[in-house]
Amino acid sequence: MKRVGVLGGTGEIGKRTVNILKNEYSLMASYYTRYRESEKNCAYVKIDISNPEEIRHFCEQCDIIVNCAGASYLNGEKVARLAADLRIPYVDPSGEAFLEEKISDIEKNNIFVLSSGYFPGMSGLLMRHICEAFDKPEKICGLSVSEETPSQSAIEDFILTNLSGFGVAMSCYDNGKIKKDESEIFEIIRNKGYKFQNYLTVETERIARKYSLQKANWYNSSFGDEIIQKLQEAVIKLKSGGDGYRAIVREVIEMFQKNVKDNDQFTYIKIEGQGITGNRRIVKKAEMTSDCSSEISAIIAAYAVKSVLTSNLNNGIYYAMDIINSKALIEELSGLNARLTICDVEERRLEHEYEEGAV
């Protein structure tokens, strides 16, 4: 039986990834402060993610590594390079474009699967699924919103990845070019209004180019002026050197907690796509909700692992949306603490086009 190693196996994403995989694979999961006793099919060991020798010893006992240990921006490259030395496939719930750039020099040495989380990850997989439902996809538009208190590592990753950029703000994809688009949209979700602005992610652009789309938009909801100001302060602190930004991260967590209060926490993704099938132009919509974004991240991370272990992938850098069988995953979602609906919202017959002079 293949052994899956989960670094950060008692964290929010890690523990859920373990839960999904433990009935199919032998697992080894690391912890640092959150002790947990070993159980059937899963051995828990204490690891200091800052200690290269401890990480190497852990990885040497596994056939594939999932890195859920803290902010990927801080330790992703280190663990990915170590996995490459050992020829062990590497899966990262985050990673994104910044890590792709950092490990580009070793991409032919190993299998790396990045963006294997909620966003990017599930967002890209749903966009791909919608595009492939048409004979000829034309447009895609997506948005997400979360009403929950993020973990410290999630906020750190958000701050750190914004330093290197994971997309282009106030922009969209339009017929092969990235264009400025400062328009806002307004959506009512669970009886609450949200404003969204264009933010063309790397993931969305990849989808647009892969399927030769006419138009692609991704919209992000605002955290609110107060939190955005604090996040900007953290970025400035980080650029000046040191780890003084961590105190601001703790403040941001408290602000999220205050905003969420006793409300039901949830996360929501909506994707709408337009395309042609037969002689009809159709608009399809996918909506996914869950009580926690970490649940979605764990689903994608776990299914990325399954895809690597059951496929004959060549060495290289992949995004999770490139390798996961979306149909198989969707069929099994009902048992994975996530709710998904996909439906047609508009359909019209194409007008016949005649050559000039034809009757």
Side-chain angles (χ1 to χ4, degrees):
M1 182 183 289
K2 296 286 188 180
R3 171 174 267 190
V4 179
V6 182
L7 287 167
T10 58
E12 294 304 311
I13 298 174
K15 67 183 180 183
R16 292 175 169 87
T17 303
V18 168
N19 192 50
I20 294 171
L21 293 173
K22 66 182 180 182
N23 293 325
E24 295 183 53
Y25 301 97
S26 169
L27 277 82
M28 178 177 283
S30 80
Y31 68 90
Y32 186 59
T33 57
R34 301 177 183 179
Y35 169 78
R36 185 162 179 176
E37 289 189 5
S38 296
E39 55 190 63
K40 183 180 179 181
N41 277 1
C42 186
Y44 287 92
V45 295
K46 185 173 182 177
I47 292 291
D48 182 352
I49 195 68
S50 66
N51 188 317
E53 291 306 313
E54 289 187 14
I55 301 172
R56 175 175 287 273
H57 181 65
F58 179 92
C59 292
E60 285 173 339
Q61 302 175 69
C62 303
D63 297 294
I64 185 170
I65 293 296
V66 188
N67 186 9
C68 303
S72 178
Y73 193 94
L74 297 177
N75 61 56
E77 181 184 3
K78 173 177 61 180
V79 181
R81 288 186 177 276
L82 196 155
D85 287 344
L86 298 172
R87 299 296 190 269
I88 300 169
Y90 174 86
V91 175
D92 197 319
S94 181
E96 303 169 349
F98 74 85
L99 185 54
E100 182 176 6
E101 183 177 337
K102 287 182 176 181
I103 61 174
S104 60
D105 61 310
I106 58 169
E107 65 176 306
K108 300 303 181 184
N109 299 348
N110 198 32
I111 295 171
F112 306 94
V113 186
L114 313 182
S115 297
S116 303
Y118 161 65
F119 167 67
M122 181 63 82
S123 47
L125 191 72
L126 291 176
M127 283 191 282
R128 192 196 91 195
H129 186 78
I130 291 292
C131 285
E132 292 179 351
F134 303 112
D135 293 339
K136 182 183 177 182
E138 296 177 320
K139 299 178 182 179
I140 202 78
C141 175
L143 60 82
S144 68
V145 62
S146 291
E147 284 285 355
E148 59 183 3
T149 302
S151 66
Q152 177 173 327
S153 62
I155 295 175
E156 285 185 354
D157 246 353
F158 179 85
I159 293 168
L160 293 162
T161 53
N162 267 275
L163 289 177
S164 61
F166 66 96
V168 186
M170 301 294 187
S171 298
C172 68
Y173 179 93
D174 190 341
N175 288 302
K177 297 180 180 179
I178 298 175
K179 293 188 176 180
K180 275 290 182 184
D181 187 345
E182 298 183 5
S183 61
E184 293 183 335
I185 62 173
F186 185 80
E187 294 268 339
I188 296 177
I189 301 167
R190 291 199 174 189
N191 300 316
K192 181 178 177 180
Y194 296 88
K195 283 185 179 180
F196 296 85
Q197 295 178 326
N198 272 290
Y199 195 106
L200 182 64
T201 64
V202 172
E203 182 183 59
T204 307
E205 185 183 351
R206 282 173 65 117
I207 288 285
R209 296 192 185 280
K210 179 176 180 178
Y211 295 99
S212 302
L213 301 180
Q214 299 169 10
K215 190 82 181 289
N217 296 75
W218 186 269
Y219 291 94
N220 277 347
S221 63
S222 173
F223 292 136
D225 293 341
E226 188 179 12
I227 289 178
I228 288 175
Q229 183 178 343
K230 281 294 179 183
L231 291 173
Q232 290 171 340
E233 289 177 21
V235 170
I236 292 169
K237 280 274 189 183
L238 188 61
K239 285 181 176 179
S240 65
D243 60 359
Y245 74 95
R246 293 181 186 274
I248 299 177
V249 170
R250 290 191 287 273
E251 287 184 56
V252 170
I253 291 175
E254 291 175 0
M255 292 164 73
F256 271 108
Q257 290 172 336
K258 181 181 177 181
N259 290 344
V260 174
K261 295 181 182 177
D262 298 324
N263 297 333
D264 290 337
Q265 297 193 39
F266 73 93
T267 191
Y268 171 83
I269 297 176
K270 183 174 79 170
I271 310 290
E272 285 191 353
Q274 175 185 294
I276 297 171
T277 297
N279 66 345
R280 295 179 181 275
R281 177 168 280 116
I282 300 169
V283 176
K284 287 184 175 289
K285 179 172 70 173
E287 291 182 287
M288 168 170 281
T289 57
S290 177
D291 296 335
C292 176
S293 60
S294 293
E295 291 279 4
I296 307 297
S297 293
I299 290 168
I300 296 297
Y303 274 75
V305 168
K306 293 182 182 185
S307 297
V308 171
L309 294 179
T310 57
S311 305
N312 294 315
L313 294 175
N314 294 322
N315 285 351
I317 298 174
Y318 301 87
Y319 280 20
M321 67 177 183
D322 299 326
I323 66 170
I324 293 175
N325 183 325
S326 62
K327 291 182 180 179
L329 172 56
I330 288 170
E331 288 175 359
E332 298 175 22
L333 271 177
S334 59
L336 294 172
N337 298 319
R339 299 166 293 283
L340 174 67
T341 59
I342 300 177
C343 62
D344 294 352
V345 294
E346 183 181 338
E347 180 178 341
R348 61 182 182 274
R349 185 180 295 274
L350 296 173
E351 296 292 332
H352 292 294
E353 296 182 0
Y354 297 100
E355 294 182 3
E356 185 176 354
V359 177

